[in-house]
Amino acid sequence: MTGTLPSPHRILEIASGYWATGLLGVATGHALFTLIHGGLDRAGPLAEKTGLAERGMQTLLDGLVGLGLLTTSDGTYRNTPEAALYLVHGQPTDISGFAQLKLAEMDKLAGRLGVFAAGGPQTAPMVEVADNPHWENVVTAIAGLSVTAAHTAAGLLDLAGRTHLSILDVGGGSGIFSSLWLRLNPAARATQLDWQPINAIARRLLAQHGLTDRFTSLDGDFHTVPLDTAAYDVAVYSHVAHQEGPQDNTAVFTKLRNALTPGGTLVVCDYIVEDDRSGPAFPLLFASEMLLKSNNGGTWRRADYTAWLTEAGFETISFHPTPSPATLVIAR
């Protein structure tokens, strides 16, 4: 062999990925990033506070530096900007719960890899069961993922400046879009269409901000629950398209087009891949989650969204990046 050889670094990193899941899961489970944010910045005091062994704490801190979530100098530790934003309890963008969910799934994953041979879930698809108890943990854990996207959409549509704003949030989960937009615009009202157990979670979370007087929920399956015609100025379809197949997405987009007022806007937020499937990385990886947990879902291309929305009757379609791995699609 001659010349510069490629490094096995990426292969080693990927094959050892369970280390990263474990480190992040343990750190968030012990509120480590929150403690560092509060001023505890050395291994000894952090070990004493969390109850971990000092050797274990030092190994944990070293690993988190290796993952790029902490920085260190003279034996002290600081959160990186992304850790400070997304892993500190109390932040609206906190997704520590997501790390906990993934840690809990680690011991189950090896037995589920038959989905690649089967082409889909080998048990009841998790995302299509209304009364699945996992919703309580999932809905709250992923709420923070949509905060930056919701703010980006609000800016693109100037929602804060609207004198009248009627919002329909389909499959709204935690109600994070409704919650943020209602706080931005005191004249706005929002309706969320989702399963009853999930709407109950959303009402509880919106009550924390005193927003329930402007928030209404429709309980049921968004495929079949009827919607009033020309009743909403803005409709949101966030992180739902990836669990649906092409025909269902087209049908839902058509339904939402009819529910919008003349000139109304549909906001789709999801993990979207390039037309040649060359990227981005996270949406490409997320497709495996849908293979595992849905019958027909996947991460869809820009061309797919354009075709479905055009068939549904939308005339203007644009794509917008967000600070998260999600892309916004604005359709009118």
Side-chain angles (χ1 to χ4, degrees):
M1 296 184 182
T2 58
T4 302
L5 299 176
S7 167
H9 174 79
R10 281 291 297 144
I11 296 171
L12 294 174
E13 186 178 64
I14 293 166
S16 304
Y18 63 96
W19 292 348
T21 304
L23 289 166
L24 185 57
V26 171
T28 53
H30 288 83
L32 185 64
F33 301 100
T34 305
L35 293 173
I36 292 173
H37 179 77
L40 287 179
D41 59 5
R42 291 183 177 273
L46 285 166
E48 183 177 355
K49 181 68 175 180
T50 59
L52 298 178
E54 187 162 349
R55 180 189 178 199
M57 176 57 70
Q58 187 61 64
T59 303
L60 180 59
L61 292 169
D62 288 347
L64 294 170
V65 171
L67 291 175
L69 295 175
L70 295 179
T71 61
T72 185
S73 176
D74 298 325
T76 64
Y77 292 87
R78 294 286 184 273
N79 293 324
T80 61
E82 62 181 331
L85 182 61
Y86 294 109
L87 296 173
V88 172
H89 296 339
Q91 294 274 36
T93 46
D94 177 25
I95 55 172
S96 299
F98 184 76
Q100 293 296 295
L101 289 176
K102 294 305 165 188
L103 180 63
E105 290 184 357
M106 281 182 66
D107 63 341
K108 305 172 186 175
L109 184 59
R112 293 177 173 175
L113 296 182
V115 296
F116 292 96
Q122 295 165 292
T123 59
M126 185 178 295
V127 300
E128 296 165 26
V129 181
D131 294 323
N132 194 318
H134 91 293
W135 288 125
E136 178 67 33
N137 292 327
V138 171
V139 167
T140 54
I142 65 176
L145 287 170
S146 293
V147 170
T148 55
H151 278 295
T152 301
L156 289 169
L157 302 180
D158 188 26
L159 297 185
R162 300 278 192 97
T163 56
H164 177 275
L165 182 61
S166 178
I167 302 161
L168 173 65
D169 194 349
V170 176
S174 66
I176 190 67
F177 272 81
S178 294
S179 177
L180 288 170
W181 291 357
L182 291 177
R183 279 180 275 165
L184 285 172
N185 188 325
R189 302 189 68 85
T191 299
Q192 175 164 304
L193 171 54
D194 213 324
W195 286 319
Q196 185 278 328
I198 297 178
N199 281 337
I201 297 169
R203 287 194 299 272
R204 187 178 74 237
L205 295 177
L206 267 75
Q208 296 175 4
H209 299 284
L211 297 171
T212 51
D213 61 325
R214 292 188 285 135
F215 180 77
T216 303
S217 58
L218 295 175
D219 295 340
D221 187 331
F222 60 79
H223 300 95
T224 57
V225 172
L227 295 171
D228 292 337
T229 301
Y232 303 97
D233 302 306
V234 178
V236 186
Y237 192 65
S238 177
H239 292 294
V240 182
H242 62 237
Q243 69 186 41
E244 303 288 318
Q247 291 184 336
D248 282 335
N249 277 325
T250 302
V252 173
F253 290 157
T254 302
K255 184 175 184 175
L256 297 182
R257 176 69 184 85
N258 293 331
L260 287 168
T261 57
T265 304
L266 171 62
V267 178
V268 180
C269 177
D270 220 313
Y271 304 130
I272 300 176
V273 300
E274 300 293 345
D275 289 347
D276 62 359
R277 299 191 177 278
S278 60
F282 186 82
L284 290 173
L285 291 168
F286 188 78
S288 296
E289 184 91 350
M290 289 300 96
L291 182 69
L292 179 66
K293 296 179 178 178
S294 73
N295 281 328
N296 299 301
T299 44
W300 306 110
R301 303 171 304 159
R302 291 179 175 230
D304 296 321
Y305 285 94
T306 299
W308 301 335
L309 289 164
T310 299
E311 185 175 345
F314 290 93
E315 298 177 357
T316 303
I317 301 161
S318 58
F319 295 84
H320 306 267
T322 76
S324 79
T327 296
L328 293 172
V329 189
I330 307 296
R332 294 180 173 92

